[in-house]
C-alpha cells in the first residue's frame, strides 16, 4: 500500500493519523510486513521511480497536524487541499508548500536538526532544489551554466539564497523526523516496513548533478546511453525508462561507494529493502540515447557478486529482497541465490505463462500482483471464459471458495510455500481497473493517482484478512 494512497483530508496520504490507523489495522489482522513505494521526491510523471534524490523525501508526505501540534502552524488547517478523487499532485504541492513555508517561519533549529543537516547530502540537495525552483522546475541540464557547475566549486555563490536553502533543509528534517516516528510505532506493533530502492536514478536528480563521473554521460551532461528493458510481457517495444547508465568500471574502482551509501541510508528508513530491477546487477539493457524505443540495445554484464561482497563486508545485517521479475537468464537466479536473497513470485504470471517456480520455497515472496500489474480482479475479468473456468477449477482443487474471485486469489497467495505473502490493498478490496496503480510504458494520469477516500471498505475486510492469515499459518 503506497503511503500516498492512504486516506487523508489533504488530498494525498501522509504520515499523519490515517497512516497510524493503517498500521493499527495491519497489526490487529496479524500482518507483519507493510510494503510501500519509494518515498523520494517525485520527479518526471510523478513517478516514484524517477526521483530527484535517492536520499531526500517528498514534502507531500509531511503531516500538517503534527506541525500544528508543534506550534509551527497556527489556527485551523484547511480540511480539503484537494477535492479530487484521485491525487492531484500539482494542486496539493502548491497548497501544502504554502503551509510548510509558514511552519518554517516559526521553526527554531535545535541539536537534532543540526545533526540531521550535517549529513553530506542534505545541504547539496537543498541547493539543488532551490536552483530547480528558480528555473521553473526545469532539469538541471537547462539551468544557467554557473548553477549547473555549482558541484565543481566553480559555479555561482549560493549564499545569496540562504533562506530558501534553509527552508529545504527544514522540509527534509521534518520529513525524516515524522517518518522515523511512524516507523518506530509500526515496529513496536510488530509491523516491519519494506521500502523500495529504484535501481536507476533519474538524470534530473541530485545523484547525477553531484556525481556525473559515475554515469555514462555526454560532455554536456546528457545521457549517452539510457536504461530500460527489451520487449517483454508488458510491452511489445520494450520499456525506455530514460535513466542514465552507471559507469560500473569507475564505481568498482571506488569500491561502489555511491551505491553503498544509497543502500546504507535507505536501511535507516526501512526494515527491509526491495531492490527494483535486481537483474541489472547481473546484466542490464543498454539503449543508445537517440533510440526512440527500447527495441535497440544490448545486454551488458553488471558488477555481479563483486558488488554484493563489498556491500556485505560493510553492512552484513542488511535485509534485502530481489525484484527478479521478467525474462531472466539463469545467472540472475544464481546471483540472487548466492547472495541468499528472496525473490518475487507473482501469481498472475504463473497462471499466464504457465511457468514453474524459479525460487526455493524458503526464499520466495508470493504476490497476487505488484504496483505494475492489473488488479487481480481486472486481470481475471479480461480473461476468456474458458480460462476463467480453468482458474476457478484449479483454485477449487486447493480447497478455495471462488465466489469472491479476488479473495480466492488472496487466499491462494497466502497458501503458497513462501517466506512472505504480500497482497496489494486493491486486491484485498476486490477493486477492478479503478484500483490499478501504474501501467508500465505509459506516462501521466491515471498512473500513481489511486487513493482511498476512507477506511470504511478496508475495515470490512478485517474479518476475512484475519481469518486467511490464521488459516494459512501466517499469523
Amino acid at each position: 500500500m503506497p503511503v500516498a494512497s492512504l486516506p487523508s483530508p489533504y488530498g494525498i496520504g501522509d504520515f499523519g493519523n490515517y497512516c497510524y490507523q493503517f498500521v493499527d489495522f495491519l497489526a490487529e489482522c496479524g500482518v507483519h510486513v507493510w510494503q510501500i513505494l519509494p518515498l523520494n521526491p517525485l520527479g518526471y510523471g510523478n513517478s516514484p521511480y524517477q526521483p530527484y534524490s535517492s536520499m531526500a523525501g517528498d514534502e507531500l508526505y509531511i503531516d500538517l497536524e503534527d506541525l500544528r501540534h508543534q506550534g509551527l502552524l497556527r489556527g485551523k488547517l484547511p480540511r480539503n487541499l484537494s477535492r479530487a478523487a484521485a491525487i492531484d499532485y500539482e494542486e496539493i504541492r502548491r497548497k501544502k508548500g504554502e503551509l510548510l513555508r509558514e511552519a518554517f517561519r516559526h521553526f527554531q533549529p535545535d541539536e537534532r536538526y543540526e545533526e540531521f543537516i550535517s549529513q553530506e547530502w542534505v545541504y547539496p540537495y537543498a541547493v539543488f532544489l532551490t536552483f530547480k525552483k528558480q528555473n521553473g522546475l526545469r532539469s538541471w541540464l537547462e539551468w544557467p551554466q554557473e548553477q549547473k557547475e555549482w558541484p565543481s566549486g566553480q559555479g555561482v555563490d549560493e549564499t545569496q539564497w540562504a533562506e530558501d536553502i534553509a527552508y529545504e533543509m527544514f522540509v527534509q528534517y521534518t520529513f525524516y523526523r515524522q517518518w522515523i516516528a511512524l516507523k518506530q510505532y509500526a515496529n513496536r506493533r510488530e509491523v516491519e516496513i519494506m521500502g523500495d530502492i529504484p535501481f536507476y536514478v533519474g538524470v534530473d536528480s541530485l545523484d547525477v548533478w553531484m556525481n556525473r563521473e559515475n554515469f555514462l554521460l555526454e560532455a554536456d551532461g546528457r545521457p549517452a546511453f539510457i536504461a530500460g528493458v527489451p520487449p517483454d510481457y508488458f510491452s511489445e517495444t520494450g520499456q525506455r525508462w530514460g535513466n542514465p547508465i552507471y559507469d560500473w568500471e569507475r564505481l568498482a574502482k571506488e569500491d561502489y561507494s555511491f551505491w553503498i551509501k544509497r543502500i546504507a541510508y535507505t536501511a535507516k528508513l526501512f526494515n527491509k529493502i526491495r531492490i527494483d530491477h535486481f537483474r541489472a546487477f547481473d546484466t542490464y539493457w543498454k539503449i543508445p540515447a537517440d533510440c526512440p524505443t527500447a527495441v535497440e540495445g544490448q545486454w551488458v554484464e553488471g558488477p555481479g557478486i563483486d558488488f554484493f561482497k563489498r556491500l556485505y563486508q560493510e553492512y552484513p545485517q542488511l535485509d534485502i529482497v530481489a525484484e527478479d521479475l521478467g525474462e531472466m537468464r539463469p545467472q540472475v537466479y544464481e546471483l540472487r541465490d548466492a547472495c541468499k536473497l528472496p525473490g518475487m513470485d507473482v501469481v498472475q504470471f504463473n497462471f499466464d505463462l504457465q511457468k514453474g517456480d524459479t525460487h526455493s520455497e524458503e526464499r520466495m515472496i508470493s504476490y497476487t500482483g505488484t504496483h505494475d500489474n492489473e488488479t487481480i480482479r481486472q486481470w481475471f475479468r479480461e480473461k476468456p471464459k474458458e480460462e476463467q473456468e480453468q482458474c476457478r477449477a484449479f483454485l477449487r482443487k486447493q480447497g478455495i471458495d471462488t465466489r469472491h474471485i479476488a479473495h480466492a486469489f488472496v487466499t491462494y497467495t497466502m497458501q503458497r510455500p513462501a517466506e512472505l505473502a504480500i497482497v496489494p490493498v486493491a486486491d484485498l478490496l476486490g477493486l477492478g481497473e479503478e484500483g490499478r496503480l501504474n501501467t508500465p510504458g505509459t506516462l501521466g494520469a491515471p498512473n500513481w493517482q489511486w487513493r482511498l477516500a476512507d477506511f470504511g471498505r478496508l475495515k470490512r475486510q478485517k474479518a476475512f484478512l484475519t481469518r486467511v492469515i490464521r488459516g494459512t499459518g501466517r499469523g
Side-chain angles (χ1 to χ4, degrees):
M1 180 63 166
V3 172
S5 298
L6 290 168
S8 165
Y10 305 113
I12 189 170
D14 57 34
F15 300 153
N17 179 53
Y18 284 92
C19 211
Y20 284 83
Q21 285 186 48
F22 184 67
V23 170
D24 290 340
F25 171 83
L26 298 179
E28 290 162 8
C29 292
V31 175
H32 291 289
V33 176
W34 172 20
Q35 181 175 336
I36 63 174
L37 292 178
L39 296 172
N40 308 110
L42 302 175
Y44 189 59
N46 292 311
S47 169
Y49 296 94
Q50 292 283 351
Y52 291 152
S53 166
S54 292
M55 298 182 182
D58 200 305
E59 64 193 49
L60 288 171
Y61 303 118
I62 290 176
D63 173 28
L64 298 176
E65 295 284 352
D66 172 73
L67 296 180
R68 189 173 65 83
H69 292 149
Q70 297 269 332
L72 302 181
L73 290 176
R74 293 152 192 192
K76 281 191 171 184
L77 291 174
R79 300 302 292 177
N80 280 301
L81 291 189
S82 171
R83 298 183 182 277
I87 299 170
D88 186 334
Y89 288 98
E90 289 187 14
E91 181 184 24
I92 297 165
R93 193 176 296 282
R94 177 175 57 82
K95 291 183 177 178
K96 206 163 195 176
E98 294 170 357
L99 293 166
L100 290 174
R101 284 279 181 181
E102 179 187 340
F104 170 65
R105 288 193 290 270
H106 297 120
F107 175 68
Q108 294 295 322
D110 56 17
E111 288 185 11
R112 288 187 299 173
Y113 169 80
E114 297 296 341
E115 181 182 1
F116 174 82
I117 67 170
S118 68
Q119 298 175 95
E120 66 177 351
W121 66 268
V122 177
Y123 185 79
Y125 178 72
V127 174
F128 174 82
L129 203 54
T130 296
F131 287 174
K132 191 166 183 61
K133 289 180 178 179
Q134 286 183 352
N135 288 280
L137 296 181
R138 292 193 300 275
S139 167
W140 66 267
L141 293 165
E142 300 176 28
W143 296 353
Q145 191 65 22
E146 63 271 18
Q147 291 183 341
K148 288 173 66 173
E149 297 307 319
W150 182 85
S152 68
Q154 300 175 358
V156 66
D157 177 7
E158 80 286 358
T159 57
Q160 58 190 297
W161 299 289
E163 184 173 349
D164 288 332
I165 293 169
Y167 165 74
E168 301 298 347
M169 292 194 291
F170 158 76
V171 167
Q172 289 307 307
Y173 170 68
T174 302
F175 172 96
Y176 180 82
R177 177 180 60 79
Q178 290 187 358
W179 171 252
I180 292 299
L182 176 66
K183 174 180 174 285
Q184 290 173 344
Y185 179 81
N187 291 171
R188 287 196 299 272
R189 298 230 57 186
E190 299 184 352
V191 175
E192 292 188 317
I193 309 237
M194 185 191 296
D196 200 329
I197 183 168
F199 183 85
Y200 290 109
V201 298
V203 64
D204 185 22
S205 67
L206 175 71
D207 306 273
V208 177
W209 184 57
M210 289 290 293
N211 304 280
R212 287 170 237 185
E213 67 281 2
N214 290 331
F215 301 87
L216 300 179
L217 305 175
E218 303 287 4
D220 63 357
R222 299 180 189 279
F225 299 92
I226 56 174
V229 289
D232 60 7
Y233 177 92
F234 288 114
S235 173
E236 292 181 357
T237 57
Q239 297 178 45
R240 184 186 186 278
W241 297 332
N243 308 76
I245 297 288
Y246 295 108
D247 185 342
W248 283 112
E249 185 175 341
R250 181 183 177 88
L251 287 170
K253 290 177 181 177
E254 298 181 348
D255 289 330
Y256 306 105
S257 62
F258 174 83
W259 250 99
I260 289 174
K261 286 177 183 177
R262 286 182 78 203
I263 293 180
Y265 187 76
T266 304
K268 292 181 181 180
L269 304 180
F270 310 113
N271 303 105
K272 301 175 182 291
I273 303 171
R274 190 196 84 127
I275 298 183
D276 189 59
H277 197 51
F278 171 82
R279 78 148 301 157
F281 284 111
D282 171 68
T283 43
Y284 57 90
W285 190 242
K286 185 178 179 183
I287 307 167
D290 58 0
C291 181
T293 71
V295 172
E296 294 179 32
Q298 60 177 327
W299 287 113
V300 180
E301 289 198 354
I305 195 68
D306 185 52
F307 167 75
F308 287 96
K309 285 180 178 177
R310 181 69 187 87
L311 176 66
Y312 284 118
Q313 279 176 1
E314 197 158 341
Y315 298 99
Q317 302 304 317
L318 290 172
D319 192 348
I320 293 176
V321 173
E323 186 272 291
D324 56 349
L325 303 176
E327 295 297 323
M328 301 289 164
R329 68 176 194 161
Q331 290 91 331
V332 178
Y333 303 123
E334 292 168 8
L335 175 62
R336 179 201 65 202
D337 294 342
C339 298
K340 299 181 180 179
L341 304 180
M344 294 172 57
D345 197 65
V346 176
V347 166
Q348 289 186 28
F349 295 157
N350 289 340
F351 277 83
D352 282 347
L353 305 176
Q354 298 180 342
K355 72 179 184 70
D357 287 340
T358 52
H359 310 79
S360 68
E361 293 184 359
E362 296 78 16
R363 298 264 73 189
M364 176 173 78
I365 302 180
S366 187
Y367 291 79
T368 52
T370 74
H371 59 271
D372 282 336
N373 290 103
E374 301 163 309
T375 65
I376 199 74
R377 184 180 178 209
Q378 179 188 7
W379 167 83
F380 181 80
R381 283 189 163 185
E382 291 178 358
K383 284 188 165 302
K385 292 294 182 182
E386 181 182 352
E387 290 186 30
Q388 289 185 9
E389 186 48 43
Q390 289 173 355
C391 288
R392 289 185 188 275
F394 174 85
L395 293 169
R396 284 194 290 264
K397 284 183 180 179
Q398 317 306 311
I400 298 172
D401 185 344
T402 61
R403 286 175 295 179
H404 189 303
I405 198 63
H407 280 187
F409 277 104
V410 168
T411 303
Y412 172 66
T413 301
M414 293 283 189
Q415 285 182 355
R416 303 201 71 222
E419 180 176 304
L420 288 174
I422 295 184
V423 176
V425 164
D427 287 347
L428 179 63
L429 297 176
L431 299 181
E433 184 179 7
E434 74 278 10
R436 185 167 188 174
L437 273 172
N438 179 56
T439 302
T442 66
L443 183 70
N447 290 342
W448 317 114
Q449 290 187 309
W450 172 73
R451 62 184 292 259
L452 286 179
D454 57 53
F455 278 139
R457 191 169 177 179
L458 180 63
K459 288 181 177 179
R460 289 194 289 274
Q461 304 304 317
K462 184 175 182 179
F464 163 73
L465 184 56
T466 303
R467 184 172 65 252
V468 75
I469 287 173
R470 290 177 179 171
T472 54
R474 291 193 175 276

